[in-house]
Amino acid sequence: MPTVSDFVIGRVREWGVSRVFGFPGDGIGEFDGALEKAQREGDGLDYVRPTHEEICAFMATAHAKFTGEVGVCIATSSPGAFHMVNGLYDAKMDNQPVVAIVGQQGLNAFGTSNQQASHLERTMADVAVYVQTVVSPAQAQAVVDTAFRTARTQLGPAVIILPHDVQGMEFTTPEPENWVSRSSAVAPSTRIRPPEDDILRAAEIINAGEKVTFFVGHGANGATDEVLEAARRAGAGIITALRGKQVVPADVPYHTQQLGLLGSLPSYHQVKDCDTLVFLGTNYPYGQFLPPSGQARAIQIDLKPEQMGLRYPTELNLWGDVKSTLDALIPHLDVTTDLEWQDRVAAEMVDWEKEMTAQAMQTYDDGVNPRRVYHELNRRLPATAIVTADAGTTADWYGHHIRLQRGMMGDLSGRLASMLAAMPYAMAAKFAYSQRPVICTIGDGAFQMLGMNELITIKKYMAQWSNPQLIILVLHNNDLAQVSWEMRTEDANPVWSASQDVESVDYAGWAELLGFTGIRVHSDDEVEAAWDRAFATQGVTLIDAYTSPNVPPLPPHVTFEFAKNTGEALLKNDPRARDVIRDTAKAVLTEGVERVKDTLHIGNADDEGDAGR
């Protein structure tokens, strides 16, 4: 007779899952045994085991992001489940459907302080959109189905807790019985269209605007054509959130990429001057970069109603998926003949790209220019490339220099902004699309967390990939560079070497030890050849780029507080003050005259806080 574990595995398959990311342990041992039996009998799941449960959860989250499917991760009881929490928060904060299946000690151990027995429901209560312990076979069907259904509809992680003894209990299909729920493995529709009167109101607001800006996030994935058609009709400029880069192709001239510290000056100007702002599938968290209240009429379209009108006082909130909602909205949008706003946005973007190139071509005395590394990567991206970035300065350079074209993909840990996610993201992308080239960009601090370990996972599984090309770029600057800059710019504190220094490791040598190609880059004139060699290699390549930690991730608009805090920090015996001042001066001098004017507010006497600058 089938066990509860047998049933759960089959039910997971019914929900369309073919690959899971797991790590074993005695608390999940009976379930793992059933996984092995199912695999041996030809109806199992593709089981990927990285080196740590946290990586399992990140890979499940990344799988959901790249494929649109539910990601599934599996771990043992308390320690394994606890390790997964960070990756599950990534799913929660970036609105991704993930189901975690975790073990637990036997039912009789509940509340008795047994080894590895803990209150997992209480632990998971904050991160999970649904969490439930299966205490009997009759309950298993409804719990599994509810977990998947809730993960899909509420766009977050659900947790199924399987006590060890329940895993091995005999399973029979539930019959009509009091207290027993019988359920189905049928996915609910998430194609939601708002009412017609709301659609007409939205069209009225957009049609009335003269300077319309679309702010596009990852929630608009799959709606590229609809976004572009709506923008064409409205004469709108387009800004993408960092996780929305892949939604709008970079060659759309009035797409100005990101907004904020990792964004562009044209995006800043769009937000500063627009009279209508349309949020499409984004929960952009940096409200300080959005317009003053009342400047722009605003609409938000999203599947997460609790997040609508949260960052800016919107006039209209449409609960629906972006594609279906725009399908309904587009016929009601007037086709504008006045393209002055759109043309202005496009012209500014041409100038901005020239500046980004100039910044990338600048040379520094204390290491390779990291901007140059990303600039040359961007010039060589294959048509089907997938790029991942980490939460440090790699995110800055990814935002400033990577331009994803139609057909390319890219992602990172967004609202959680967790370090080390770039490696499990890259691996999950490779498992999902093994024929596509994947490029992981990561800092040395994040790589030392768990990324180095995952080269072992890559070695274990790469033979399964139809195209084994995977490139890992490590920014080797011996510093937690993003935090170093944040200490200066946010808190006016100098860098504290005891917390910030990263021990130098021969990362290329570690890759070579595992049989991969290692490339060391010590100067700017070696960058192009390194990328050419990496893309010519049909296998795994690690580029160990010895970059400067002092190249400033200058925002497109430097505020008075940003400049003041940085100056104060450098006066407090910052150990790298001389290098930072020199490198920042080079970066600023590279800027065009108009950028400097904007930064210094020349001619804007009424800008608060700038009178004495």
Side-chain angles (χ1 to χ4, degrees):
M1 292 294 293
T3 64
V4 168
S5 292
D6 296 327
F7 165 77
V8 172
I9 293 164
R11 202 64 161 189
V12 168
R13 286 200 309 272
E14 285 188 64
W15 276 97
V17 175
S18 59
R19 179 175 298 109
V20 298
F21 307 95
F23 202 93
D26 65 334
I28 196 71
E30 185 78 28
F31 185 79
D32 284 347
L35 280 171
E36 186 276 332
K37 182 185 73 172
Q39 197 172 72
R40 181 166 22 93
E41 293 175 353
D43 57 356
L45 296 162
D46 181 14
Y47 183 87
V48 177
R49 200 218 76 186
T51 65
H52 197 282
E53 293 95 344
E54 183 174 356
I55 302 296
C56 293
F58 272 117
M59 291 183 77
T61 300
H63 179 85
K65 288 181 176 182
F66 285 123
T67 67
E69 302 170 356
V70 177
V72 176
C73 49
I74 302 168
T76 188
S77 53
S78 300
F82 297 157
H83 281 162
M84 289 204 302
V85 166
N86 193 42
L88 295 181
Y89 268 106
D90 190 41
K92 175 180 180 174
M93 298 180 74
D94 279 350
N95 307 318
Q96 296 303 310
V98 168
V99 171
I101 301 172
V102 299
Q104 176 63 289
Q105 300 306 295
L107 295 172
N108 291 337
F110 285 18
T112 65
S113 301
N114 209 295
Q115 184 186 33
Q116 291 194 346
S118 59
H119 202 316
L120 287 178
E121 285 193 9
R122 187 178 301 162
T123 301
M124 298 293 184
D126 181 64
V127 70
V129 294
Y130 173 81
V131 55
Q132 184 59 53
T133 301
V134 178
V135 297
S136 73
Q139 186 194 16
Q141 184 185 84
V143 169
V144 173
D145 292 340
T146 304
F148 275 91
R149 192 176 298 113
T150 307
R152 277 191 175 275
T153 56
Q154 296 190 25
L155 297 175
V159 179
I160 301 168
I161 301 169
L162 287 178
H164 190 273
D165 47 359
V166 175
Q167 295 169 29
M169 290 180 181
E170 182 180 311
F171 178 83
T172 56
T173 302
E175 299 292 338
E177 185 180 346
N178 190 27
W179 300 333
V180 175
S181 294
R182 290 167 292 153
S183 62
S184 64
V186 178
S189 172
T190 54
R191 298 296 301 273
I192 301 174
R193 171 179 165 166
E196 185 68 15
D197 57 341
D198 283 345
I199 294 291
L200 294 176
R201 280 185 63 201
E204 180 185 351
I205 293 169
I206 295 172
N207 289 337
E210 296 180 354
K211 299 177 180 178
V212 181
T213 288
F214 286 2
F215 203 142
V216 182
H218 190 271
N221 224 17
T224 298
D225 292 336
E226 291 76 13
V227 170
L228 294 181
E229 175 59 16
R232 183 190 70 81
R233 288 174 174 248
I238 299 175
I239 297 170
T240 47
L242 195 62
R243 294 198 55 242
K245 285 176 81 77
Q246 69 181 25
V247 178
V248 181
D251 57 5
V252 173
Y254 42 87
H255 171 202
T256 59
Q257 297 291 317
Q258 284 70 68
L259 174 71
L261 295 177
L262 283 61
S264 71
L265 193 61
S267 290
Y268 171 74
H269 285 159
Q270 275 205 72
V271 167
K272 184 179 175 184
D273 298 334
C274 70
D275 61 20
T276 309
L277 191 55
V278 183
F279 296 95
L280 299 172
T282 180
N283 184 28
Y284 179 77
Y286 305 108
Q288 69 270 34
F289 298 109
L290 296 176
S293 298
Q295 172 192 308
R297 303 179 73 182
I299 300 169
Q300 188 163 355
I301 301 172
D302 211 293
L303 279 172
K304 298 284 284 186
E306 70 275 16
Q307 295 179 2
M308 292 194 287
L310 186 62
R311 310 298 181 194
Y312 186 81
T314 48
E315 181 176 340
L316 179 63
N317 292 321
L318 300 178
W319 186 7
D321 71 282
V322 173
K323 184 178 178 68
S324 297
T325 304
L326 288 182
D327 274 339
L329 178 63
I330 286 170
H332 302 290
L333 294 179
D334 297 338
V335 178
T336 183
T337 57
D338 182 2
L339 299 180
E340 179 182 355
W341 169 249
Q342 207 174 61
D343 290 343
R344 171 184 145 187
V345 167
E348 284 196 34
M349 195 59 188
V350 171
D351 292 339
W352 176 257
E353 295 291 36
K354 291 177 181 177
E355 181 178 321
M356 287 297 94
T357 299
Q359 292 280 6
M361 293 302 151
Q362 183 60 261
T363 58
Y364 298 93
D365 298 333
D366 46 6
V368 175
N369 183 351
R371 290 182 178 272
R372 177 72 177 275
V373 179
Y374 278 75
H375 175 81
E376 297 298 344
L377 165 61
N378 184 66
R379 290 180 58 213
R380 292 163 172 77
L381 282 177
T384 59
I386 302 175
V387 184
T388 68
D390 217 78
T393 53
T394 64
D396 296 312
W397 317 135
Y398 173 79
H400 285 167
H401 295 280
I402 296 300
R403 303 290 181 255
L404 299 177
Q405 305 296 335
R406 188 184 283 268
M408 297 181 185
M409 302 173 78
D411 220 324
L412 74 171
S413 174
R415 197 150 56 96
L416 182 64
S418 177
M419 289 177 66
L420 80 75
M423 276 295 283
Y425 272 43
M427 292 190 300
K430 198 63 183 175
F431 277 106
Y433 305 101
S434 68
Q435 76 281 8
R436 299 177 68 158
V438 175
I439 303 96
C440 167
T441 70
I442 190 168
D444 50 3
F447 196 59
Q448 286 190 13
M449 278 185 163
L450 288 171
M452 294 179 70
N453 292 4
E454 290 317 300
L455 288 183
I456 301 171
T457 304
I458 292 169
K459 181 178 177 62
K460 177 179 179 180
Y461 289 102
M462 62 180 292
Q464 299 179 12
W465 301 333
S466 58
N467 170 14
Q469 188 173 72
L470 173 62
I471 302 171
I472 301 109
L473 165 68
V474 179
L475 298 188
H476 188 160
N477 54 29
N478 304 326
D479 179 44
L480 298 176
Q482 184 77 357
V483 183
S484 293
W485 280 102
E486 289 169 343
M487 290 179 71
R488 297 180 184 114
T489 62
E490 295 180 9
D491 305 312
N493 284 323
V495 167
W496 184 29
S497 296
S499 71
Q500 297 305 106
D501 287 356
V502 175
E503 184 66 21
S504 184
V505 173
D506 182 5
Y507 303 109
W510 169 234
E512 290 165 344
L513 184 65
L514 291 170
F516 304 144
T517 299
I519 303 174
R520 298 164 183 83
V521 176
H522 292 279
S523 65
D524 291 87
D525 58 11
E526 296 175 340
V527 172
E528 292 190 58
W531 283 119
D532 288 341
R533 181 183 172 194
F535 280 115
T537 301
Q538 289 303 303
V540 178
T541 303
L542 187 144
I543 298 178
D544 190 354
Y546 289 73
T547 54
S548 167
N550 303 313
V551 176
L554 286 175
H557 173 74
V558 180
T559 64
F560 175 72
E561 182 182 17
F562 183 101
K564 174 177 174 289
N565 288 345
T566 304
E568 288 182 4
L570 297 178
L571 292 173
K572 295 177 181 177
N573 297 317
D574 190 300
R576 294 194 288 273
R578 179 179 297 179
D579 292 336
V580 168
I581 292 171
R582 181 193 63 229
D583 292 354
T584 301
K586 280 189 174 185
V588 171
L589 289 173
T590 304
E591 297 171 351
V593 173
E594 292 304 314
R595 169 80 187 280
V596 174
K597 277 186 177 181
D598 186 89
T599 299
L600 298 179
H601 296 275
I602 293 174
N604 293 322
D606 59 346
D607 276 344
E608 182 180 354
D610 291 326
R613 292 178 61 189

